[in-house]
Amino acid sequence: MSFPRNGFLTRWSAVDALFIVFAVLTVLPAFLMVVARNPVNGAIFMIISFVGMAALLVLLEAFFLAILQVLVYAGAIMVLFLFIIMLLDMDEVEKLRPKTVTALASVVGLALIVLGVVYLLRADGLSDQTFAALQDAPDFPSAEQPMEFAIKTKAYGFGLFTKYMLPFQMVGVLLLIAMIGVIVLSKKRDQSVAVEST
Amino acid sequence: MVLSLNSFLLVSGLLFGIGFFGVLLRRNALVIFMSLELMLNASILALVAFSRYNGIMDGNLFVFFIITVAAAEIAVGLAIIVALFRKRQSVMVEHLSSLKN
């Protein structure tokens, strides 16, 4: 079951309207987050943007990832952000006038992004050759059959514990490293420094 | 047909661009970190879209690793920001540009 890959705006359906709504719900709060003066407002906009992203993942039939997005990103990570923002309690006003080098780099980056989007939106921006190359890519650990797209969570577990076993374990080690690093960073120094700072 | 791979990639590119300019143009370290999260989210959307339209599962599995790395990065980064704030009483990057003192 695959979608036909036609151009833009040839035929509309209800799913297309939903896609437009979710895309606006994702992109607009992201933009508002970048221009918001108050970081707390920015974090709230960011949560809205993550929920819109989860809706887009539902449209792509990745239901498990959508739930994971809401739980981990909108739940855990943004709560951590809000906690830190409110803990630090910055009363310093931010100058929004960037330096010259930064402005130049931004203009160059904007040009590159516009070029990329123009290339993408041409009639054959992504040709069928690209897709054929992707389809014929060898399955590196040489499984008997490449993993087909599936909706059930079982498929995620199967892939994660067969083809991607080593990255999976490395990610576990990475989480351990991050935990130890945070403990070391937030540990109190020896007694003299602590007395000096209070 | 609006619901095509190109539209998902367009949304992903827009998100990535917004996050990119957030990293470049903002001075507040916390907002810079949130923009980094935005860029990671854009890559997640692109991966899932490619995975869906190619009928293959690998992109969806990469999303797991992206989310894990993002969580670890945010934990460590926020700890560093808090330590710097205790030292300098500021989170603006122009005040954090030197490691001295």
Side-chain angles (χ1 to χ4, degrees), chain A:
Chain A
M1 176 184 167
S2 65
F3 295 118
R5 284 183 291 104
N6 306 338
F8 254 13
L9 297 174
T10 50
R11 210 161 50 76
W12 279 71
S13 70
V15 183
D16 298 338
L18 273 182
F19 171 76
I20 299 290
V21 169
F22 292 150
V24 169
L25 187 72
T26 309
V27 173
L28 188 67
F31 179 75
L32 289 174
M33 187 276 290
V34 170
V35 299
R37 300 298 298 266
N38 188 355
V40 179
N41 293 348
I44 299 295
F45 282 135
M46 200 71 185
I47 291 174
I48 300 172
S49 170
F50 285 156
V51 172
M53 170 70 81
L56 284 178
L57 292 182
V58 167
L59 281 189
L60 283 169
E61 296 179 346
F63 303 114
F64 184 57
L65 291 182
I67 292 172
L68 211 65
Q69 173 91 11
V70 171
L71 284 179
V72 174
Y73 262 116
I77 292 184
M78 291 321 286
V79 164
L80 191 62
F81 259 112
L82 273 171
F83 177 71
I84 297 295
I85 289 170
M86 292 175 179
L87 175 81
L88 294 188
D89 190 27
M90 306 149 296
D91 47 4
E92 186 178 0
V93 64
E94 180 178 1
K95 298 193 298 289
L96 281 181
R97 196 164 46 81
K99 293 177 185 168
T100 321
V101 181
T102 314
L104 276 176
S106 309
V107 169
V108 170
L110 180 65
L112 284 174
I113 288 173
V114 166
L115 279 177
V117 170
V118 165
Y119 172 76
L120 177 70
L121 294 185
R122 283 187 333 189
D124 52 354
L126 288 165
S127 63
D128 285 337
Q129 229 173 2
T130 315
F131 282 95
L134 283 173
Q135 293 270 22
D136 297 340
D139 200 12
F140 180 63
S142 74
E144 288 180 5
Q145 52 187 7
M147 292 182 291
E148 295 264 326
F149 185 88
I151 297 173
K152 289 191 186 303
T153 316
K154 187 178 170 182
Y156 292 91
F158 178 78
L160 214 55
F161 282 100
T162 53
K163 187 176 173 183
Y164 293 103
M165 192 65 203
L166 180 64
F168 180 70
Q169 296 188 347
M170 282 166 67
V171 156
V173 176
L174 176 82
L175 283 175
L176 176 69
I177 291 170
M179 193 176 73
I180 294 173
V182 169
I183 289 170
V184 168
L185 275 172
S186 53
K187 191 164 60 90
K188 278 271 188 292
R189 299 275 175 249
D190 55 348
Q191 202 58 36
S192 61
V193 181
V195 168
E196 183 188 334
S197 65
T198 47

Side-chain angles (χ1 to χ4, degrees), chain A residues 1 3-4 6-12 15-16 19-20 23 26-27 30-31 33-37 39 42-43 46 49-50 53 56-57 59-62 64-65 68-69 72-73 77-78 80-81 84-85 88 90 92 94-99 102 105-106 109-110 113 117 120-121 126 131 134-135 147-150 155-156 159-160 163-164 167-168 171 174-175 178 182 185, chain B residues 1-31 33-45 48-83 85-87 89-92 94-95:
Chain A
M1 176 184 167
F3 295 118
N6 306 338
F8 254 13
L9 297 174
T10 50
R11 210 161 50 76
W12 279 71
V15 183
D16 298 338
F19 171 76
I20 299 290
T26 309
V27 173
F31 179 75
M33 187 276 290
V34 170
V35 299
R37 300 298 298 266
M46 200 71 185
S49 170
F50 285 156
M53 170 70 81
L56 284 178
L57 292 182
L59 281 189
L60 283 169
E61 296 179 346
F64 184 57
L65 291 182
L68 211 65
Q69 173 91 11
V72 174
Y73 262 116
I77 292 184
M78 291 321 286
L80 191 62
F81 259 112
I84 297 295
I85 289 170
L88 294 188
M90 306 149 296
E92 186 178 0
E94 180 178 1
K95 298 193 298 289
L96 281 181
R97 196 164 46 81
K99 293 177 185 168
T102 314
S106 309
L110 180 65
I113 288 173
V117 170
L120 177 70
L121 294 185
L126 288 165
F131 282 95
L134 283 173
Q135 293 270 22
M147 292 182 291
E148 295 264 326
F149 185 88
Y156 292 91
L160 214 55
K163 187 176 173 183
Y164 293 103
F168 180 70
V171 156
L174 176 82
L175 283 175
V182 169
L185 275 172
Chain B
M1 191 81 190
V2 179
L3 193 76
S4 65
L5 177 58
N6 280 356
S7 14
F8 281 106
L9 289 184
L10 176 64
V11 172
S12 169
L14 276 175
L15 276 178
F16 190 88
I18 290 169
F20 176 76
F21 289 118
V23 170
L24 272 182
L25 298 174
R26 293 299 299 259
R27 306 280 179 83
N28 192 333
L30 289 161
V31 179
F33 257 75
M34 281 196 281
S35 304
L36 278 175
E37 289 301 300
L38 206 61
M39 287 156 83
L40 285 167
N41 253 302
S43 68
I44 283 177
L45 184 61
V48 178
F50 274 124
S51 170
R52 175 72 187 84
Y53 282 86
N54 284 317
I56 204 167
M57 205 62 198
D58 299 46
N60 284 350
L61 294 178
F62 284 148
V63 171
F64 277 91
F65 303 130
I66 290 181
I67 287 178
T68 316
V69 169
E73 171 214 350
I74 288 307
V76 175
L78 287 179
I80 290 174
I81 287 177
V82 169
F85 182 82
R86 281 185 186 158
K87 198 80 179 165
Q89 297 302 313
S90 165
V91 290
M92 300 297 163
E94 63 260 27
H95 300 147

